[in-house]
Amino acid sequence: EAGVVQSPRYKIIEKKQPVAFWCNPISGHNTLYWYRQNLGQGPELLIRYENEEAVDDSQLPKDRFSAERLKGVDSTLKIQPAELGDSAVYLCASSISGGAWETQYFGPGTRLLVL
Amino acid sequence: DQQVKQNSPSLSVQEGRISILNCDYTNSMFDYFLWYKKYPAEGPTFLISISSIKDKNEDGRFTVFLNKSAKHLSLHIVPSQPGDSAVYFCAAGNAGNNRKLIWGLGTSLAVNP
């Protein structure tokens, strides 16, 4: 079974430029998460989707971040414009909803460096 | 305010010995706890979990203990192997709170041959 796929793996941009990250979850997983992980920290949830619906985006900085999950499968996270403080690893995870708790499966992440 | 705390940034053990990683939490509403392992340049990998109705869960070499009164959980790895060298994250959540996981800062484990 293929795992969560993310691209690109690395991205270097200058501040004020836009950037986008793509995620393909595990087949059949209807819940998708975007996390940001800063160096030396644990992952911080940005947004969670149940199918196409964003059910928790309370931590997403909406002035510059946007996300979409068309057709309830792939998802894209965008930053426009990027700031120096956005340098981090952006992780995508997926799970199957329905049980008391779902195990989240993570992709390898996209490492973003904003210069 | 760090609701999930892993107070040891690093731990070093000899191959074959026991590794004990600790995690403390402050929110008594957490009802589910998970441990993830992370290798460099990879995403976290689920290791083991425990619900608040249990005090122990075992999976092979990995055992998680939960002490609700002390708001403390620990991960035991016996015997430790060099391939266990990674960063271990403790995470906690509440099924009724949008199932949001709160993560600790991680503990870097080095298992020496």
Side-chain angles (χ1 to χ4, degrees):
Chain A
E1 180 184 87
V4 176
V5 179
Q6 290 188 248
S7 69
R9 291 295 309 275
Y10 304 92
K11 190 74 177 178
I12 301 174
I13 61 172
E14 294 189 345
K15 62 181 180 182
K16 301 185 182 179
Q17 294 300 305
V19 65
F21 314 123
W22 175 81
C23 173
N24 178 244
I26 293 173
S27 177
H29 283 197
N30 57 326
T31 306
L32 184 146
Y33 313 76
W34 281 104
Y35 286 89
R36 176 171 59 190
Q37 185 173 20
N38 292 307
L39 192 64
Q41 305 284 317
E44 175 191 0
L45 181 69
L46 293 174
I47 189 168
R48 177 168 73 94
Y49 282 94
E50 296 284 348
N51 300 304
E52 301 92 349
E53 183 183 0
V55 296
D56 183 0
D57 63 355
S58 56
Q59 299 293 101
L60 190 72
K62 298 182 184 62
D63 56 336
R64 297 183 300 106
F65 286 65
S66 65
E68 61 181 10
R69 191 183 184 198
L70 300 177
K71 300 181 182 179
V73 181
D74 294 1
S75 178
T76 302
L77 178 69
K78 297 178 181 177
I79 309 175
Q80 182 170 10
E83 297 180 351
L84 295 177
D86 296 331
S87 296
V89 176
Y90 291 82
L91 293 162
C92 178
S94 70
S95 66
I96 300 175
S97 65
W101 197 270
E102 311 100 21
T103 298
Q104 297 179 26
Y105 296 88
F106 284 81
T110 296
R111 186 175 297 274
L112 173 67
L113 179 60
V114 182
L115 302 176
Chain B
D1 179 34
Q2 197 77 20
Q3 296 186 61
V4 176
K5 301 177 184 178
Q6 294 178 257
N7 293 318
S8 298
S10 63
L11 176 67
S12 181
V13 300
Q14 285 298 119
E15 180 179 4
R17 307 294 284 267
I18 184 172
S19 296
I20 300 177
L21 296 97
N22 294 303
C23 178
D24 297 295
Y25 61 97
T26 58
N27 190 338
S28 58
M29 298 300 292
F30 289 145
D31 58 12
Y32 207 81
F33 305 87
L34 307 93
W35 284 94
Y36 278 79
K37 176 170 71 175
K38 185 181 182 305
Y39 293 118
E42 294 184 13
T45 302
F46 171 74
L47 196 55
I48 193 169
S49 62
I50 188 167
S51 139
S52 61
I53 63 173
K54 294 186 172 182
D55 53 20
K56 177 183 174 181
N57 189 26
E58 192 171 354
D59 183 3
R61 297 185 297 113
F62 303 91
T63 303
V64 56
F65 296 92
L66 175 62
N67 182 334
K68 288 187 291 294
S69 60
K71 294 192 179 67
H72 176 83
L73 65 156
S74 61
L75 174 68
H76 292 210
I77 306 174
V78 184
S80 300
Q81 299 174 354
D84 296 329
S85 299
V87 177
Y88 289 78
F89 288 95
C90 171
N94 177 276
N97 184 28
N98 263 331
R99 306 185 181 200
K100 184 182 221 172
L101 284 179
I102 306 299
W103 296 70
L105 300 183
T107 296
S108 179
L109 172 67
V111 180
N112 306 306

